[in-house]
Amino acid sequence: MRGAATQVSDFARQQFITRNRRVAFGLALVVAVIAVAAVHVSAWWFSPGVMILPILCGGLWMWPRALRILFAVAAAGLAYDMVNGKAGVGIVFTVAVTAVYADVLANARGKLGTRGRRAERMMIELRDRIRQQGRLPDLGDGWGSQVVLRPAGGSSFGGDFVVSHSDGKTLEVALVDVSGKGMDAATRALLLSGAFGGVLGSVPREQFLSACNAYMRRSNAPEGFVTAVYLSVDLQSGEYVLSSAGHPPAAHFDGATGQWRRSEARGIVLGVLEDLAGAPEAPEEGILRRGDAIMLYTDGLVEAPGEDIDEGINRLIGEAERMVVSGYKSGAGELITTMQRSVGSGDDCALVIIWRS
């Protein structure tokens, strides 16, 4: 007798060795208790509709195969309750819809290899790291900076991102716009932001865009191209180099004249040519003196349907005049809001402003 009990105990331990099996057994038991109690105790306290709760828990905590076993137990319980007049078509339909949602949820989590809310926590941590990477470091006395990212549709992720690096003497910053819209552009931006951030500060400044292009070509990504603008500033002298890869022209505010002017930096978009070494490129060199500022932005701020992009750029520069008066730090967010309204933008928007006081 004792030997048989030991065998049963060992068998039970083997069957419930994984957490998934233990959760499946527990939820199946709960569903069975609800189905039986609805008939023999009280449908008021144990309504068959309460099966929705363990099914939703299964969608969060169980792998798809085990979840479908739970569905079979729930279907049997509902059939038992219907035969005894304790469950109607409405309850069955509601439980069925909940089961479909739980199945979709479990399959999505199964592809990620996560259960519970780990996937959401992973995405939140990734979002926070991307935002942290986009923050410009402290530039020291006499310098200021502001970065504003506005993904389309109020999403946490978008196709625009910023990477920066500073060793205390030189600031390097790149504003990148991934082609496409929605989650497709956002997922590519997440991938590229890590790669471009690793390249920044690791290669000479004149090789940054070429290195980014080489990375994209090696990855054989067929999704599209990327535009970028790269700025390197000597924090002692104010000398800067501005390079563009098919990006809208940056704007430089001259404190001496009180006027904004467009940058003349030009270049080829990333991901199209095999090698940018022989491609035509026209970087711009200049000096940021006290009272000067430089503004980088993405096309979501200046592109409007049926309108030439030059008109949008002119409008942006006109609105930037007000920012000089109100202050760059507080005026950057207002500038994006104003431009989004004026162009009716449904695209991701980003703005980077660096000034010297």
Side-chain angles (χ1 to χ4, degrees), residues 25 50 66 91 100 103 124 147 162 177 181 195 239 243 268 272:
F25 176 79
V50 179
I91 288 178
V100 171
D103 188 64
I124 290 172
V147 177
V162 177
D177 184 358
K181 294 183 181 293
E239 295 179 353
S243 301
I268 304 296
V272 176

Side-chain angles (χ1 to χ4, degrees), residues 82 155 180 215 252 263 303 305:
M82 288 184 70
S155 172
Y215 170 81
H252 177 194
S263 165
E303 277 190 341

Side-chain angles (χ1 to χ4, degrees), residues 3 12 39-40 61 80 83 99 176 210 220 244 259 266 289 338 354:
V39 175
H40 297 284
W61 294 105
Y80 179 73
V83 169
V176 183
S210 295
N220 295 319
S244 175
Q259 294 182 342
R266 296 291 184 271
R289 298 181 174 85
T338 301
I354 298 168

Side-chain angles (χ1 to χ4, degrees), residues 20-279:
N20 183 56
R21 292 184 178 183
R22 293 195 297 271
V23 171
F25 176 79
L27 292 179
L29 184 61
V30 170
V31 168
V33 168
I34 292 171
V36 173
V39 175
H40 297 284
V41 180
S42 170
W44 175 263
W45 290 103
F46 297 96
S47 169
V50 179
M51 292 183 189
I52 289 174
L53 297 178
I55 288 174
L56 283 176
C57 290
L60 282 171
W61 294 105
M62 292 168 61
W63 300 122
R65 181 182 296 179
L67 181 63
R68 283 159 195 158
I69 296 175
L70 178 64
F71 292 162
V73 174
L78 284 173
Y80 179 73
D81 289 342
M82 288 184 70
V83 169
N84 288 276
K86 301 298 182 180
V89 176
I91 288 178
V92 173
F93 178 76
T94 304
V95 174
V97 171
T98 305
V100 171
Y101 172 74
D103 188 64
V104 171
L105 193 62
N107 276 287
R109 294 178 185 278
K111 291 178 181 179
L112 290 172
T114 62
R115 289 180 297 176
R117 301 198 62 187
R118 291 181 182 176
E120 284 81 359
R121 289 199 296 269
M122 287 169 57
M123 293 301 291
I124 290 172
E125 289 179 7
L126 184 57
R127 178 204 64 189
D128 292 342
R129 291 189 180 188
I130 295 298
R131 289 181 176 177
Q132 181 64 36
Q133 183 175 261
R135 293 193 182 117
L136 269 62
D138 181 33
L139 305 184
D141 294 339
W143 291 93
S145 64
Q146 182 72 353
V147 177
V148 182
L149 298 173
R150 295 266 182 92
S155 172
S156 294
F157 302 97
D160 299 345
F161 65 88
V162 177
V163 290
S164 62
H165 169 76
S166 176
D167 59 5
K169 298 179 180 179
T170 302
L171 169 70
E172 295 179 79
V173 58
L175 175 59
V176 183
D177 184 358
V178 176
S179 63
K181 294 183 181 293
M183 287 306 298
D184 176 60
T187 52
R188 290 184 64 215
L190 290 174
L191 172 66
L192 293 176
S193 63
F196 287 13
V199 172
L200 197 68
S202 301
V203 299
R205 62 186 184 185
E206 62 273 8
Q207 297 178 16
F208 172 74
L209 293 178
S210 295
C212 292
N213 183 76
Y215 170 81
M216 292 185 63
R217 297 296 298 181
R218 283 197 306 272
S219 64
N220 295 319
E223 293 89 347
F225 59 88
V226 167
T227 70
V229 59
Y230 166 77
L231 174 68
S232 174
V233 183
D234 187 316
L235 299 177
Q236 299 297 322
S237 65
E239 295 179 353
Y240 71 85
V241 176
L242 186 69
S243 301
S244 175
H247 205 80
H252 177 194
F253 178 73
D254 189 337
T257 63
Q259 294 182 342
W260 289 91
R261 67 167 184 83
R262 298 189 195 186
S263 165
E264 298 298 327
R266 296 291 184 271
I268 304 296
V269 296
L270 304 179
V272 176
L273 298 180
E274 189 69 31
D275 188 0
L276 291 185

